[in-house]
Amino acid sequence: MLARALDAGVPATWVTADEAYGKDYKFRTWWETRRISYVVAAACNQTIPATSGTSRADVLVAQAPDDAWKRRSRGDGAKGPRLFDWAVASLPVYEDTTPPGWSRWLLVRRSLTPNSKDELELAYYLCCAPTGTTDEDLIRVAGARWAVEECFQTAKNEVGLDHYQVRRYDAWYRHITLAMLARTYLAVTAAIARKALAAALSRSHSARSSVSWHT
C-alpha cells in the first residue's frame, strides 16, 4: 500500500509510526531505500548501535548528562503547549547500513510530572534523516503522531473505521477506504461550512452597521 502511494506520486518527506512498526527492522530499512526520513517509536529495550558494540535504549538514556535535556513544546493541545523534556543522541553511522549523506539519532521524550509510580515516563524514538537535520525537526515529526491518532479516533467514532468483521484483505481494504473517504468528506464539509458561516456573519454585521470605522 505504501509503495503504491509513493509510486503514484503522493508527496512524503517524513514518516512517523508507533512502536509496533518502529521495532520492525525491515519496515525502517524499506523507508531508507526509498530515501524517506523517519521518526518511529521504539521500546526501552531496543538494541542501539554504540561505538563499542550495542546497548539498550534505556541504558544509553540513563547515561545522558543533565544538559542534554531541553524543554520544548510538541505542539498545542487542548490545554496549551504540550511541553516535555527532550534529549537527542547522534548514533554511529556505518556506510554499509546507512544511506549516503544520512545520519541516525536516538530521540527521547521525558514527561514533566511523575506518573502513579512516581516515575517520569520516557518514550524512545529511532530516527534516520539527511545529515544536518535539526533536533527541532525530529521533535516536530514525533509530535505529528498525535494529530494522526486523533484523526483515527475521530474516524472510529464518526464513521465506524474499526467497525468491521472481515476475514479477507480485500473486504478490509474496501471498508477502510470507504470509511476514510467518508471522514474526508465530513472534514471538508465542516471546513467549508465554517468559512461560509463566517462570511455570512460578516455580511450581516456590515449591513446592520450605521457607522463607518476607519481601518
Side-chain angles (χ1 to χ4, degrees):
M1 292 169 64
L2 293 169
R4 291 204 309 271
L6 293 178
D7 292 343
V10 175
T13 303
W14 286 92
V15 168
T16 182
D18 60 21
E19 187 178 318
Y21 291 97
K23 67 180 180 182
D24 188 338
Y25 172 78
K26 293 181 180 179
F27 178 80
R28 302 195 310 269
T29 302
W30 187 83
W31 288 111
E32 294 172 17
T33 61
R34 299 297 298 245
R35 295 299 188 269
I36 303 291
S37 307
Y38 62 76
V39 176
V40 294
C44 63
N45 61 353
Q46 174 71 43
T47 300
I48 305 295
T51 303
S52 55
T54 60
S55 180
R56 287 170 47 121
D58 53 0
V59 173
L60 290 177
V61 172
Q63 302 169 357
D66 292 340
D67 57 3
W69 296 95
K70 303 292 189 301
R71 188 156 300 178
R72 296 184 174 92
S73 172
R74 192 175 157 181
D76 291 334
K79 299 181 180 179
R82 296 186 177 110
L83 290 173
F84 294 91
D85 287 335
W86 298 84
V88 182
S90 296
L91 302 178
V93 173
Y94 304 103
E95 294 183 359
D96 57 336
T97 60
T98 305
W102 283 45
S103 297
R104 299 182 185 276
W105 299 268
L106 173 64
L107 171 67
V108 190
R109 186 196 74 205
R110 185 176 66 188
S111 62
L112 302 185
T113 55
N115 58 18
S116 58
K117 298 180 180 180
D118 199 31
E119 299 174 341
L120 296 177
E121 294 183 351
L122 297 173
Y124 308 86
Y125 302 87
L126 295 177
C127 313
C128 187
T131 301
T133 298
T134 65
D135 295 355
E136 287 71 20
D137 286 333
L138 301 178
I139 294 171
R140 175 181 56 81
V141 176
R145 260 193 59 218
W146 280 9
V148 175
E149 291 169 357
E150 290 175 356
C151 180
F152 274 112
Q153 188 58 50
T154 301
K156 291 177 182 179
N157 295 336
E158 294 185 354
V159 297
L161 181 68
D162 59 341
H163 295 176
Y164 58 83
Q165 295 181 356
V166 297
R167 295 174 181 269
R168 293 167 55 94
Y169 171 78
D170 55 352
W172 171 88
Y173 191 90
R174 291 166 185 165
H175 174 87
I176 295 298
T177 301
L178 289 173
M180 293 176 66
L181 179 61
R183 179 68 188 96
T184 302
Y185 173 80
L186 293 176
V188 173
T189 300
I192 294 175
R194 284 193 294 268
K195 293 179 180 179
L197 178 60
L201 291 175
S202 176
R203 289 194 299 269
S204 175
H205 176 75
S206 298
R208 291 195 302 267
S209 179
S210 60
V211 296
S212 177
W213 295 99
H214 296 192
T215 58

